[in-house]
Amino acid sequence: MSLTLYYHPLASFCHKVLIVLYENETPFDASLVDLLDPAEAARFAEMWPAGKMPVLRDSDRDVVVPETSVIIEYLDRHYPGSHPLIPSDGNAALQARLWDRFFDLYIHVPMQKIVTDTLRANGENDHRGVADARATLATAYAMADRHFSANAFAGGPAFSLADCAAAPALFYAGIVEPFADRHPHLSAYFERLLERPSMRRVLAEAQPYFHMFPYKDLMPKRFLAAG
């Protein structure tokens, strides 16, 4: 098979690409990477020295593609499915890319800051950084809630790259910094994302690994029962 995705089922940024692959039923091989294994981590670093998952390998084109947004654009260009993730209209494409960056930078990254700080050894915690991350999430939630008061999907009327970014970001962020009670439009949007078969499949595959998530005790039971 031409495409191989190097990933981990628990990793939120990996979910972003998996959603795309499942939306379009794109054939691919899945290669699970355990970065806690020094040998595996070293092999992965040979392919992508930054060491961040996921990475897509296309053997037919002899290309290694890192970074989730670039992977999605690559798939949309070279392995298009029945559901384009980048709108053909230039202005609509810019809107999809804008909201892709919004969810990655202002929800996904702050969420990861909060989670990774939990994993630090005693005395190494960054309390100011976590407080700043929670403040960024509060601002982003309010912005997104206003946006979804008038929009069904992040980048416009149709599911796109931006929604693939939103789904895993909101899933994990909603656990570490809940938004449902104060942001009804954002909450309704997230529920629409959860209804998609691609998102349900991603969560079902992640479920056996949820015990590794530092905030697993705060995870809603409906997710723990997935799959």
Side-chain angles (χ1 to χ4, degrees):
M1 191 171 293
S2 173
L3 299 176
T4 301
L5 185 72
Y6 295 85
Y7 83 118
H8 192 282
L10 185 64
S12 51
F13 273 112
C14 294
H15 292 184
K16 178 179 170 181
V17 173
L18 286 170
I19 289 168
V20 176
L21 293 166
Y22 295 156
E23 282 283 332
N24 281 322
E25 300 181 341
T26 305
F28 73 102
D29 287 324
S31 181
L32 192 151
V33 179
D34 180 5
L35 293 179
L36 297 179
D37 182 321
E40 280 197 42
R43 285 194 296 269
F44 184 73
E46 290 179 3
M47 181 170 52
W48 180 234
K52 299 292 185 180
M53 292 188 287
V55 166
L56 184 74
R57 166 74 176 164
D58 184 349
S59 59
D60 282 356
R61 299 174 60 84
D62 192 24
V63 173
V64 171
V65 188
E67 298 300 322
T68 55
S69 300
V70 179
I71 292 171
I72 293 171
E73 294 228 21
Y74 181 87
L75 290 170
D76 216 48
R77 177 174 300 182
H78 297 292
Y79 296 89
S82 59
H83 189 106
L85 279 304
I86 310 296
S88 57
D89 176 79
N91 289 331
L94 287 175
Q95 187 74 355
R97 291 185 178 100
L98 167 64
W99 283 93
D100 166 72
R101 304 318 305 136
F102 173 88
F103 281 107
D104 276 3
L105 296 175
Y106 304 123
I107 293 185
H108 215 142
V109 170
M111 173 275 294
Q112 288 194 331
K113 171 65 177 179
I114 296 168
V115 172
T116 55
D117 194 77
T118 306
L119 302 174
R120 290 185 173 187
N122 289 337
E124 296 182 356
N125 299 99
D126 180 10
H127 300 294
R128 174 60 184 270
V130 169
D132 289 345
R134 292 191 184 278
T136 297
L137 285 176
T139 299
Y141 287 167
M143 293 173 65
D145 195 62
R146 289 194 298 272
H147 180 69
F148 292 112
S149 67
N151 294 277
F153 292 104
F159 187 88
S160 74
L161 159 73
D163 304 292
C164 299
L170 292 173
F171 173 73
Y172 284 109
I175 296 169
V176 303
E177 187 72 16
F179 55 79
D181 291 344
R182 299 185 61 185
H183 302 289
H185 303 299
L186 178 59
S187 181
Y189 165 68
F190 180 56
E191 293 299 322
R192 289 195 293 277
L193 295 180
L194 290 175
E195 292 173 1
R196 301 188 74 86
S198 59
M199 183 60 172
R200 292 201 298 267
R201 181 175 175 182
V202 165
L203 293 181
E205 293 174 352
Q207 193 273 334
Y209 300 90
F210 280 159
H211 68 279
M212 300 167 62
F213 183 57
Y215 285 81
K216 59 184 178 297
D217 293 339
L218 300 179
M219 190 173 289
K221 291 183 179 180
R222 63 172 173 158
F223 299 132
L224 292 174

